[in-house]
Amino acid sequence: MKWDWNAVSDFMPDFWKGLLVTLQALALGSLLSFSLGLVWALLMRTPTRLVRWPVGVVTEFVRNTPLLVQLFFLFYVLPEWGLTFSALATGVFAIGLHYSTYTMQVYRAGIEAVPAGQWEAATALNLPRARTWTAVILPQAIRRVVPALGNYVISMLKDTPLLMVITVLEMLGHARLFSQEHFQFTEPLTVIGVAFILISYLASLLMRALERRLVR
């Protein structure tokens, strides 16, 4: 099969549109998953069972159901209950919520890895509970979990094509439409394949740089 550079050139405007949507979904979904995952982790450490039990049920349910099912539910079922959001907002929320149940476990492992002596020192200094978390425990825990969080960024990137099922035209969505309209499949799919590899590599470099900075 002959490679058609004209097809690549014709596809590039659509590719840039899809790339922008993919990066938006990845950045916002990552921010939501990291923030919400930390909230879940902290709530699971509360002594009140009335807080821990509902959080545990919700996170287990979300973690053990497919992201694709969650996307369909949020986009097609919630409007029947009067809750309607844009396709991109729904996709970002679904990705962020789904992966927050995984980052929760990462945060929990990082918190548990903080030496007990750090808790004892904070108690000896009579630090308030909030100050203990923000100044002593979380800075040490987050430094430990950055590599694992970076792995989930890559996983979220690879799941962004699922947003196509709720009408979000990210890179694969644009490639699919272009292929159907021009009967050219090899070129657009190859372009987005290379794009995913490059974005994954750049994201890994960014997380390594962040890890080195936090270790200082």
Side-chain angles (χ1 to χ4, degrees):
M1 180 178 295
K2 186 178 179 180
W3 181 265
D4 189 349
W5 286 106
N6 290 329
V8 175
S9 178
D10 293 339
F11 173 62
M12 291 311 294
D14 292 333
F15 167 75
W16 294 118
K17 295 176 184 177
L19 176 62
L20 179 60
V21 174
T22 296
L23 294 179
Q24 285 179 328
L26 176 62
L28 295 175
S30 298
L31 181 62
L32 179 59
S33 69
F34 294 164
S35 303
L36 194 55
L38 181 58
V39 172
W40 296 141
L42 295 177
L43 289 177
M44 287 297 290
R45 293 185 64 86
T46 60
T48 307
R49 292 188 61 185
L50 290 177
V51 174
R52 293 199 315 271
W53 187 82
V55 171
V57 170
V58 170
T59 54
E60 283 296 321
F61 176 80
V62 173
R63 185 166 56 248
N64 290 288
T65 53
L67 176 57
L68 186 61
V69 173
Q70 295 166 16
L71 284 167
F72 275 116
F73 181 86
L74 292 173
F75 190 69
Y76 293 107
V77 177
L78 287 188
E80 297 182 3
W81 298 347
L83 298 173
T84 303
F85 304 96
S86 69
L88 181 58
T90 302
V92 167
F93 179 74
I95 289 177
L97 176 64
H98 185 81
Y99 277 95
S100 71
T101 61
Y102 294 96
T103 59
M104 176 193 74
Q105 300 295 344
V106 173
Y107 284 122
R108 187 165 68 175
I111 292 170
E112 292 176 353
V114 175
Q118 299 294 311
W119 294 94
E120 296 168 358
T123 302
L125 293 172
N126 199 29
L127 291 179
R129 190 70 173 175
R131 182 66 174 167
T132 298
W133 277 105
T134 58
V136 180
I137 304 303
L138 288 182
Q140 297 182 63
I142 290 175
R143 278 197 286 267
R144 289 176 166 85
V145 303
V146 167
L149 293 178
N151 291 335
Y152 284 117
V153 172
I154 305 302
S155 296
M156 281 185 269
L157 171 64
K158 292 188 289 187
D159 275 345
T160 54
L162 292 177
L163 302 186
M164 184 173 54
V165 303
I166 58 170
T167 74
V168 175
L169 287 179
E170 39 64 64
M171 287 194 294
L172 183 59
H174 277 287
R176 177 172 172 268
L177 287 180
F178 181 88
S179 299
Q180 292 175 342
E181 292 173 359
H182 298 83
F183 301 100
Q184 297 277 358
F185 294 89
T186 302
E187 291 81 7
L189 292 176
T190 301
V191 168
I192 66 166
V194 172
F196 273 112
I197 293 173
L198 291 177
I199 297 171
S200 298
Y201 180 66
L202 291 175
S204 65
L205 291 180
L206 179 61
M207 297 305 294
R208 289 175 191 171
L210 179 60
E211 180 183 2
R212 288 194 296 268
R213 185 176 181 84
L214 291 174
V215 169
R216 292 179 183 176

